[in-house]
Amino acid sequence: MSSKKAHHSAKHHQIVSDVLKEREKREKTYREKALKLFPWICGKCAREFSGKRLKELTVHHKDHNHDNNPPDGSNWELLCIYCHDNEHSRDQVADWYEGSEAGGNNKPSTTFKAFEDLANLLKSKEGGK
């Protein structure tokens, strides 16, 4: 590997590392605040958490903005990892369906028409008999 590529790779690695450290630091801060503010119960399934299992309780941002961390915790809710995953999955599915209402002007996902010329093929076979 050339020294230029090695330098670029090291720089890229450092940037990614710095971003991950900053995110971890930010998450730790608002997670600690949320754990002090709220009971250690999942806001969806109502399971209680304590001890080693407390790590399974996550902070969900209601508006999905991880930078919106008001000191009163009004943008947070504690969710277990399973309910948190489900919450985000539902949003992804809703986003996918958002533009696909019945009767809408949605473009087809493909332009391939498998049976487009089937009638002509059948007619030519019948004519050849």
Side-chain angles (χ1 to χ4, degrees):
M1 181 185 293
S2 72
S3 64
K4 190 174 184 178
K5 284 184 181 181
H7 174 70
H8 178 72
S9 178
K11 186 176 179 181
H12 177 74
H13 177 73
Q14 184 61 45
I15 291 170
V16 170
S17 177
D18 290 346
V19 168
L20 291 175
K21 284 177 187 174
E22 184 62 32
R23 185 178 85 183
E24 185 177 310
K25 187 171 105 178
R26 184 181 67 210
E27 286 176 354
K28 185 177 182 185
T29 304
Y30 66 70
R31 184 170 192 278
E32 288 174 358
K33 288 178 185 176
L35 290 173
K36 288 178 183 174
L37 285 172
F38 302 115
W40 297 351
I41 299 171
C42 175
K44 297 289 180 187
C45 69
R47 284 182 26 209
E48 293 184 34
F49 293 84
S50 63
K52 291 181 180 180
R53 305 227 31 222
L54 187 59
K55 66 183 176 190
E56 296 176 17
L57 197 58
T58 63
V59 178
H60 173 66
H61 288 79
K62 295 175 185 177
D63 70 356
H64 301 275
N65 178 356
H66 289 246
D67 294 322
N68 182 8
N69 296 303
D72 66 352
S74 58
N75 188 40
W76 303 329
E77 65 181 333
L78 294 177
L79 299 177
C80 71
I81 56 175
Y82 306 107
C83 291
H84 200 174
D85 285 347
N86 181 267
E87 183 71 23
H88 286 282
S89 295
R90 288 186 306 129
D91 290 335
Q92 289 173 346
V93 170
D95 289 345
W96 186 82
Y97 277 115
E98 191 172 86
S100 61
E101 295 178 24
N105 293 330
N106 297 328
K107 295 180 180 177
S109 59
T110 181
T111 57
F112 178 71
K113 297 177 182 172
F115 301 107
E116 181 177 35
D117 203 35
L118 183 61
N120 291 334
L121 287 170
L122 291 173
K123 286 179 186 174
S124 67
K125 280 207 169 212
E126 289 174 1
K129 285 186 178 178

